[in-house]
């Protein structure tokens, strides 16, 4: 890793401890401004109801590298917008759709390799996921935008604000808040983060901020993604492996920050591998639980007061 990138990571970590990046208050300070040490945790939260007022009623949908007619590309019925399979000439293109505005209901994607750009959008649903991806999909927060994916109601087991059956990538350079009251913030198969954006993800005390089979952040010499994991039983819970090779990760109010299943008889060990990243915890009881934990010297871990 280049020296400049290492210095940048250290600077970002220092700045994050000075300013609250996505909570209602600085999570490193109590109401008096003092270090909480062994005091009860402060309230880590996001005022998404207040934020809703900033979004225009109605959802605008635009497309790029897609020739399929809108009437074929997507349908809207009973509060569900479904992006259907594109026509043959679009199948191998870099297809993108961009969402702007406010929508209450559910977005369903069935278009392979589709990139869903969030361009200042507020998506919310009640008692069911706000976004469902039945095929490999990328969700990207556009630069200088703030986006919300919210579920209310519940509890509903084994689901989340974003639900995916296949590989799911999160990228871009904007900000996205994923807040779930059902179970998990993100529930998927293989979940990957990339880019230079900021994602703030909240699950429930019975779920995880991210629940998946595999969690991945690949090394990137030019961009660094920042991800916050809030108020869930687990920050990241993966059935098989967690492989983090980059990024700035923050865990607040979790019982366990990084957790995998335990291998059964005859199974390969479950693994957590860390390199080239910074990890900061506040009010977290356990940093990790797994069969095999590997941490490179390039990793910077700051464990503040524990729950």
């Amino acid at each position: 890793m280049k020296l400049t990138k290492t210095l940048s990571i250290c600077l970002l970590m220092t700045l994050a401890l000075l300013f609250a990046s996505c909570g209602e208050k600085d999570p490193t300070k109590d109401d008096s401004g003092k270090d909480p040490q062994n005091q009860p945790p402060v309230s880590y939260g996001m005022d998404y109801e207040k934020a809703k007022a900033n979004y225009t009623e109605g959802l605008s949908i635009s497309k790029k590298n897609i020739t399929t007619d809108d009437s074929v590309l997507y349908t809207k019925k009973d509060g569900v917008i479904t992006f259907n399979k594109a026509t043959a000439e679009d199948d191998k293109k870099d297809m993108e759709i961009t969402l702007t505005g406010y929508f209450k209901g559910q977005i369903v994607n069935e278009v392979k390799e589709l990139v869903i750009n969030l361009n200042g959008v507020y998506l919310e649903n009640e008692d069911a996921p706000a976004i469902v991806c039945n095929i490999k999909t990328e969700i990207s927060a556009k630069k200088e935008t703030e986006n919300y994916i919210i579920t209310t109601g519940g509890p509903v087991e084994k689901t989340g604000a974003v639900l995916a059956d296949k590989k799911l990538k999160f990228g871009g350079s904007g900000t996205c808040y994923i807040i779930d009251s059902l179970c998990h913030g993100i529930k998927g198969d293989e979940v990957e983060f990339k880019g230079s954006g900021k994602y703030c993800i909240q699950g429930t005390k019975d779920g995880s901020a991210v629940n998946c089979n595999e969690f991945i952040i690949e090394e990137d010499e030019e961009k660094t993604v920042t991800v916050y994991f809030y108020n869930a039983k687990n920050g990241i819970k993966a059935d098989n492996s967690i492989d983090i090779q980059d990024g700035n990760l923050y865990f607040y109010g979790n019982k366990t920050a990084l957790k995998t299943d335990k291998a059964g008889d005859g199974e390969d060990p479950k693994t957590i591998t860390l390199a080239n990243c910074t990890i900061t915890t506040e009010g977290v009881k356990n940093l990790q639980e797994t069969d095999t934990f590997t941490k490179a010297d390039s990793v910077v871990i700051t464990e503040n007061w524990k729950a």
Side-chain angles (χ1 to χ4, degrees):
M1 170 172 285
K2 297 179 182 178
L3 179 60
T4 54
K5 173 113 184 238
T6 303
L7 292 173
S8 297
I9 289 175
C10 293
L11 179 59
L12 283 170
M13 183 184 72
T14 303
L15 292 173
L17 292 174
L18 294 174
F19 300 99
S21 294
C22 68
E24 295 173 336
K25 59 181 76 175
D26 185 341
T28 67
K29 302 291 178 62
D30 64 13
D31 290 333
S32 67
K34 298 178 181 179
D35 187 335
Q37 296 181 352
N38 294 322
Q39 299 178 34
V42 297
S43 175
Y44 306 126
M46 291 156 267
D47 193 348
Y48 55 89
E49 283 294 333
K50 183 177 180 181
K52 189 191 302 186
N54 298 323
Y55 294 82
T56 304
E57 186 75 25
L59 186 68
S60 171
I61 302 173
S62 59
K63 59 188 182 182
K64 180 180 178 181
N65 298 327
I66 298 176
T67 60
T68 305
D69 187 78
D70 287 355
S71 62
V72 177
L73 179 64
Y74 64 89
T75 57
K76 183 176 180 180
K77 183 178 180 181
D78 299 329
V80 178
I81 296 176
T82 302
F83 290 91
N84 305 294
K85 293 181 179 180
T87 53
E89 58 268 28
D90 289 331
D91 284 346
K92 296 183 179 180
K93 294 180 181 179
D94 297 325
M95 297 180 293
E96 300 180 19
I97 59 118
T98 298
L99 307 179
T100 306
Y102 170 83
F103 177 70
K104 185 172 184 178
Q106 188 174 84
I107 304 290
V108 178
N109 179 42
E110 297 180 352
V111 179
K112 187 177 182 180
E113 305 282 359
L114 183 67
V115 176
I116 301 175
N117 293 313
L118 308 178
N119 187 39
V121 68
Y122 193 109
L123 306 173
E124 67 171 330
N125 202 13
E126 186 175 355
D127 294 327
I131 296 180
V132 177
C133 301
N134 294 323
I135 203 162
K136 185 177 179 181
T137 306
E138 179 176 334
I139 295 174
S140 180
K142 298 285 282 185
K143 184 178 180 179
E144 298 179 352
T145 67
E146 193 170 273
N147 306 277
Y148 289 81
I149 303 172
I150 310 294
T151 58
T152 59
V156 181
E157 293 183 357
K158 298 181 180 180
T159 191
V162 180
L163 180 65
D165 290 337
K166 304 295 182 181
K167 184 171 183 176
L168 181 61
K169 289 185 178 182
F170 292 88
S173 56
T175 299
C176 183
Y177 299 92
I178 300 174
I179 305 169
D180 179 77
S181 64
L182 306 180
C183 191
H184 309 299
I186 298 168
K187 169 68 174 174
D189 178 27
E190 181 179 319
V191 175
E192 178 179 347
F193 283 84
K194 64 176 189 175
S196 59
K198 180 176 74 177
Y199 282 84
C200 303
I201 309 165
Q202 179 173 297
T204 71
K205 290 301 181 182
D206 294 321
S208 303
V210 177
N211 182 282
C212 55
N213 289 321
E214 298 178 22
F215 182 93
I216 300 168
I217 300 179
E218 296 182 348
E219 184 176 2
D220 189 328
E221 291 287 343
E222 298 179 355
K223 300 176 181 178
T224 302
V225 67
T226 300
V227 190
Y228 294 78
F229 305 87
Y230 276 79
N231 292 346
K233 181 178 181 181
N234 306 299
I236 303 170
K237 163 59 174 65
D239 294 346
N240 294 316
S241 64
I242 297 172
D243 186 8
I244 299 171
Q245 300 294 317
D246 212 321
N248 300 312
L249 282 69
Y250 300 85
F251 297 86
Y252 295 139
N254 311 123
K255 179 180 179 181
T256 304
L258 306 164
K259 184 176 182 179
T260 68
D261 286 345
K262 296 291 186 178
D265 294 339
E267 292 183 339
D268 292 334
K270 312 297 185 179
T271 61
I272 296 176
T273 305
L274 306 179
N276 310 315
C277 63
T278 69
I279 291 179
T280 303
T281 68
E282 289 278 1
V284 172
K285 184 176 182 180
N286 305 305
L287 175 64
Q288 57 85 19
E289 292 182 17
T290 190
D291 294 324
T292 303
F293 179 66
T294 305
K295 179 179 74 69
D297 292 339
S298 57
V299 176
V300 178
I301 297 178
T302 304
E303 291 185 86
N304 295 309
W305 62 274
K306 295 187 177 182

